Amino acid sequence: MLAACLLLGISAQAAEIDITQASLENTDDGYRLSASYAFELNRGLEDALVRGVPLYFTTDVQLTRRRWYWFDEVSIAASRTVRISYNVLTRQYHAAISGQLQQSFPTLEDALSLIRRPPRWYVADKNSLKSGDTYFVGLRMRLDVAQLPKPFQINALNNSDWRLSSDWKEFTFKVE
């Protein structure tokens, strides 16, 4: 009985995304988010990918400023999606960050590396945050089932294999 509970606990944790590193950097052109994630695709997601179903991973970031007199002010709210797909004819995986060029990879692990360790993401320009203020940054990543083909969306609602997401990770950022 204990072994079965441990196995269930391990399989439940395998379907989660962990945010291993997250920071906001002040650069000359604005603010860039640097993040890295740890996760594995379960067998159901790998099978769907190999059979031609693209997977969409969406990262959401939100910068809020606390106010004592009213609700917190949401200063920045942005999302970025990475699509990963498999081409049966060329036997290559393709990954594309929304609005950017597509890259080809020989293995699934190489393609997932673009999702696990994405390039720094420009989230705000210099004038969007007030100097001297402290902002609370919220970050999460999830498998975006809303972008799947319609028959898979219905399956994803009823199947826990398709629920892959992280909790919101929060940290503070002081504008210099």
Side-chain angles (χ1 to χ4, degrees), residues 13-32:
Q13 290 176 355
E16 293 299 317
I17 298 174
D18 291 323
I19 301 172
T20 57
Q21 181 271 329
S23 64
L24 200 61
E25 301 167 0
N26 188 353
T27 62
D28 292 337
D29 56 344
Y31 301 95
R32 293 188 179 268

Side-chain angles (χ1 to χ4, degrees), residues 84-145:
I84 187 169
S85 61
Y86 180 71
N87 188 320
V88 178
L89 295 175
T90 61
R91 295 184 182 193
Q92 287 192 331
Y93 293 89
H94 301 283
I97 298 174
S98 54
Q100 297 182 2
L101 294 175
Q102 179 172 295
Q103 297 177 7
S104 298
F105 299 95
T107 66
L108 177 58
E109 280 301 312
D110 291 342
L112 287 175
S113 69
L114 182 67
I115 298 170
R116 290 180 183 138
R117 289 176 298 284
R120 293 184 319 155
W121 173 24
Y122 176 78
V123 294
D125 62 348
K126 277 288 202 191
N127 301 327
S128 58
L129 302 179
K130 295 180 183 175
S131 182
D133 283 354
T134 299
Y135 291 86
F136 292 87
V137 182
L139 174 69
R140 78 169 174 183
M141 179 192 270
R142 60 191 159 80
L143 177 64
D144 195 350
V145 295

